[in-house]
């Protein structure tokens, strides 16, 4: 998202649960700028007035249950991202994930969807080998699936989510396309480390739950040593 906004010449800062605190960037941006935040369930537990213009829930799978008493408590913490939104805000949700889709019934925000299996409206989706955006009855092709730089089924879903959000913000389709071609990911998330004697070494230490590891393994060609 941050790279798409920068490609579109938008004022932007990226932070949150990626090692860059919100408090460290909030004074570096004007009131016209956009801040992209990744938020954890731990952070959402304690919000009071926090109200994102666009909130997105990519998926809901068991995680951090050493912290949260049970899945209901974990989901409840995640759900707080929508609670302060108004009718002028947006929630971008994953049609393919049952946990995320349930959030559509919550809150006052307008709901936008993304999917790699169906064709929601409004939202972003995959048809054949291309990524589309559909809004107000109009469809726009963004990019061919094979041209997307970040690989794996989960990253195809992430690309759809990013495009759905950028469409709300009025980002040019060409800026989305150029970013998806050139963006190769971030540190510790399927990060190529080296290739030694034909063996590729990949750092995926951000995979902190079983579902994350499963998705990573779908993104790498076998044989695999885990």
């Amino acid at each position: 998202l941050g790279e798409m906004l920068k490609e579109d010449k938008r004022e932007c800062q990226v932070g949150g649960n990626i090692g860059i605190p919100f408090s460290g960037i909030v004074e570096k941006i004007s009131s016209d700028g956009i801040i992209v935040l990744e938020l954890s369930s731990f952070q959402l537990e304690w919000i009071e007035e926090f109200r994102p213009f666009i909130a997105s829930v990519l998926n809901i799978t068991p995680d951090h249950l050493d912290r949260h008493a049970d899945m209901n408590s974990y989901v409840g913490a995640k759900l707080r991202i929508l609670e302060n939104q108004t009718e002028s805000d947006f929630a971008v949700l994953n049609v393919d994930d049952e946990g995320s889709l349930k959030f559509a019934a919550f809150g006052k925000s307008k709901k936008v969807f993304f999917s790699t299996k169906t064709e929601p409206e409004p939202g972003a989706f995959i048809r054949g080998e291309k990524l589309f955006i559909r809004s107000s009855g109009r469809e726009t092709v963004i990019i061919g699936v094979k041209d997307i730089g970040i690989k794996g089924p989960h990253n195809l879903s992430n690309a759809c989510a990013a495009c759905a959000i950028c469409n709300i913000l009025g980002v040019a389709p060409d800026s989305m396309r150029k970013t998806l071609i050139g963006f190769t990911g971030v540190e510790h998330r399927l990060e190529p480390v080296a290739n030694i004697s034909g063996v590729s070494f990949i750092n995926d230490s951000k995979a902190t739950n079983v579902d994350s590891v499963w998705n990573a393994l779908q993104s790498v060609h076998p044989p695999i040593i885990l």
Side-chain angles (χ1 to χ4, degrees):
L1 272 171
E3 294 303 312
M4 286 180 177
L5 289 164
K6 292 171 188 175
E7 179 66 36
D8 208 51
K9 303 297 188 288
R10 305 292 186 93
E11 183 189 4
C12 173
Q13 292 282 340
V14 179
N17 194 37
I18 58 170
I20 304 172
F22 188 12
S23 57
I25 58 177
V26 70
E27 292 186 343
K28 298 179 180 179
I29 196 162
S30 75
S31 58
D32 295 323
I34 299 170
I35 293 180
V36 179
L37 293 175
E38 181 182 64
L39 299 176
S40 71
S41 59
F42 297 4
Q43 292 162 326
L44 289 168
E45 276 185 300
W46 298 100
I47 64 168
E48 294 180 9
E49 298 177 6
F50 179 74
R51 173 192 157 198
F53 171 52
I54 303 172
S56 184
V57 181
L58 302 180
N59 54 67
I60 298 291
T61 57
D63 202 359
H64 305 306
L65 297 183
D66 55 336
R67 161 87 172 204
H68 303 287
D70 50 35
M71 271 298 290
N72 285 337
S73 299
Y74 175 54
V75 172
K78 289 278 193 181
L79 192 59
R80 297 202 68 193
I81 198 170
L82 307 183
E83 73 177 39
N84 292 324
Q85 288 190 307
T86 69
E87 293 86 349
S88 61
D89 301 319
F90 293 85
V92 177
L93 304 172
N94 186 356
V95 172
D96 304 334
D97 181 80
E98 184 179 349
S100 172
L101 189 57
K102 286 180 179 178
F103 282 29
F106 185 82
K108 300 176 181 178
S109 54
K110 293 185 279 290
K111 305 306 189 289
V112 176
F113 303 96
F114 64 95
S115 174
T116 63
K117 299 175 182 178
T118 62
E119 299 185 7
E121 183 177 354
F125 60 89
I126 303 299
R127 178 192 295 153
E129 289 297 313
K130 294 181 179 179
L131 193 162
F132 288 79
I133 288 176
R134 179 186 286 155
S135 180
S136 301
R138 295 181 59 186
E139 291 184 358
T140 304
V141 177
I142 302 301
I143 192 172
V145 169
K146 293 180 180 178
D147 296 325
I148 297 175
I150 48 175
K151 304 304 180 184
H154 62 301
N155 277 325
L156 188 57
S157 181
N158 289 340
C160 288
C163 289
I165 293 169
C166 280
N167 188 56
I168 296 169
L169 295 169
V171 172
D174 193 52
S175 296
M176 302 184 213
R177 182 184 64 82
K178 287 180 179 178
T179 301
L180 288 172
I181 291 172
F183 184 68
T184 56
V186 297
E187 288 183 324
H188 312 300
R189 297 189 182 185
L190 286 177
E191 178 189 10
V193 176
N195 189 296
I196 303 172
S197 301
V199 178
S200 296
F201 291 82
I202 298 171
N203 170 15
D204 196 47
S205 56
K206 279 285 188 179
T208 58
N209 61 43
V210 172
D211 197 65
S212 297
V213 175
W214 187 91
N215 277 290
L217 294 175
Q218 309 312 304
S219 309
V220 180
H221 296 296
I224 301 169
I225 297 175
L226 178 62

